[in-house]
Amino acid sequence: MKLITSLAAAAMIAVASSVSFAAEVVKGDITIVETWTRATPPNARAGGGFAKITNSGSEADRIVAASSPVSKKTELHEMAVVDGVMKMREMEDGIAVPAGGTVELKPGGLHIMFMGLNEPLKEGETVPVKLTFEKAGEVDIILSVHKMGAKGMGHGHMKHGKMPKKDN
Ligand SMILES: [Cu+2]
């Protein structure tokens, strides 16, 4: 039991150290950290971008637009379960960042959506994104591309080459 626990801890440390985020970005009252995205399968048309955005000011702000050279269109989306079905919709009024509050863009929730990827996002690469805030203005962030998500990506971890043969 003890061995398993320490192995698990070691694995967690290994994961933590391999997940590197770009430095935080500060613009006015807005601070953006943990900017990342996920690698996409070869023929994926879309990908999601994630970040943690804090507004230290006394006035609410709002992300009104996003853009990136990696896709034809970049939108602000929300994913939510509606009547038991996972649905995604564009946030037409943008994403509010309340005064003194933090908004987390994360898988399964609010996210930046890359629509019409020019090419797949590859692990270890970076994706530049420009966010436009109503008050703070334009903020450039860099998303680090992490491993393909194991969930909801049917073609994840597909290996090229031969399948190993059984000996018997
Ligand atoms: Cu989306």
Side-chain angles (χ1 to χ4, degrees), residues 19-22 34-40 46-51 68 70 105-107 111-114 117 120-129 141-149 153:
V19 176
S20 58
F21 293 108
E34 294 175 25
T35 52
W36 65 288
T37 181
R38 285 192 289 212
T40 58
F50 314 107
S68 174
V70 300
L105 310 187
K106 58 182 185 207
H111 56 279
I112 299 160
M113 190 89 191
F114 304 112
L117 285 171
L121 304 179
K122 293 193 193 75
E123 186 180 352
E125 294 185 348
T126 56
V127 171
V129 173
I141 57 173
I142 303 284
L143 314 188
S144 42
V145 183
H146 293 186
K147 255 194 200 71
M148 214 176 275
M153 300 244 187

Side-chain angles (χ1 to χ4, degrees), residues 77-79 88 111-113 115:
H77 277 198
E78 180 185 45
M79 197 177 261
M88 208 155 61
H111 56 279
I112 299 160
M113 190 89 191
M115 310 280 288

